[in-house]
Amino acid sequence: MSVQHHDPNQPAGIAAVGRRDIWLIGAGLLVAGLVLIFGVLAEEVLEGDTTGFDRSIMLALRCAANPAEPIGPAWLHEAARDVTSLGSVMFLGFVLIAVVGYLLLIHKRALAVLMAVSVVGGELLSTILKKSFDRPRPDIPHVTQVFTASFPSGHAMLSAITFLTVGALLARATPEPRVKRYFIALAVFLTLAVGVSRIYLAVHYPTDVLAGWCLGSGWAILCWTVALWLRGSRSTG
């Protein structure tokens, strides 16, 4: 029996390529699944099959005697308005500028471009989809001003893109697994909080928010997948 000798550096390189390929395949499947869920939601919304589901959840969060008032104390109403502002274009624009500026200062130009493309591209996609579906806002009274169509939720979508991308950047910058998990968990928490606040304030149907979460998460993962693929292509080219 002959014993084959391998370059000690080769297994690590092969393992690294293998892990990257597995990550790319898994990420591609996840993005495809999220897009599929969005497609199902969109079809159901267009056919009006989600009306009962949407209204039952929204009415459960409103006072029975006065649907204009959400349930809970006054401080919770104000807190919800504060939380929902974290998903506004203005606030996320400030976050984008701050993060891109920092990445440029530390000479991470590729990551700065990734961040800008993720958020700006997501905003354009959200605008196009809102105009395409043109779903009216909920007819339940609310105090928050809105200026665009309802489906999908731009707050849910853009907060998912921005917070998840920033969380991934922060996680990438630390070798500590616990810190990585903390950053990702914080990004997910902020994304969920913004989306729930939109339903609580009756400015979006639950299916609007679900669709926004699916597209935002899928878009963020897609941008990171493309960046990883390009980096792998350069390193192996």
Side-chain angles (χ1 to χ4, degrees):
M1 178 182 296
S2 61
V3 179
Q4 296 181 345
H5 297 280
H6 299 280
D7 183 348
N9 294 323
Q10 188 178 24
I14 294 174
V17 173
R19 287 195 299 269
R20 188 183 69 243
D21 290 343
I22 291 173
W23 197 96
L24 289 173
I25 293 172
L29 292 174
L30 181 56
V31 171
L34 291 169
V35 172
L36 178 62
I37 294 173
F38 171 81
V40 172
L41 284 171
E43 182 179 3
E44 295 295 311
V45 166
L46 289 174
E47 294 176 353
D49 295 336
T50 64
T51 302
F53 168 78
D54 283 327
R55 290 192 65 83
S56 63
I57 292 180
M58 296 189 70
L59 290 176
L61 297 175
R62 317 300 288 180
C63 295
N66 182 12
E69 288 289 330
I71 60 175
W75 65 263
L76 183 58
H77 308 169
E78 189 63 26
R81 284 190 285 270
D82 291 339
V83 170
T84 209
S85 67
L86 298 178
S88 66
V89 173
M90 186 65 68
F91 178 80
L92 295 179
F94 287 146
V95 173
L96 173 62
I97 293 171
V99 173
V100 168
Y102 170 74
L103 291 172
L104 291 176
L105 286 174
I106 62 173
H107 307 293
K108 299 289 186 181
R109 185 173 300 177
L111 292 178
V113 172
L114 168 65
M115 185 72 195
V117 169
S118 297
V119 177
V120 176
E123 168 64 20
L124 291 175
L125 180 60
S126 173
T127 300
I128 292 171
L129 290 172
K130 280 178 174 290
K131 290 183 178 296
S132 299
F133 287 99
D134 198 27
R135 186 186 195 186
R137 293 280 180 162
D139 56 3
I140 298 175
H142 51 79
V143 297
T144 303
Q145 286 189 319
V146 291
F147 305 98
T148 59
S150 192
F151 185 91
S153 167
H155 276 62
M157 182 175 173
L158 292 178
S159 62
I161 293 171
T162 306
F163 293 141
L164 293 179
T165 302
V166 172
L169 284 171
L170 294 173
R172 184 176 181 270
T174 177
E176 285 288 335
R178 289 184 302 174
V179 180
K180 289 179 183 290
R181 290 193 293 269
Y182 172 78
F183 284 138
I184 297 300
L186 183 59
V188 172
F189 171 77
L190 290 173
T191 299
L192 294 176
V194 170
V196 171
S197 73
R198 302 304 283 173
I199 302 172
Y200 179 78
L201 294 172
V203 291
H204 273 296
Y205 295 107
T207 46
D208 298 336
V209 172
L210 289 173
W213 281 339
C214 287
L215 276 183
S217 302
W219 181 256
I221 295 170
L222 178 63
C223 290
W224 270 102
T225 302
V226 171
L228 180 62
W229 178 76
L230 290 174
R231 187 178 65 179
S233 299
R234 286 195 300 267
S235 62
T236 57

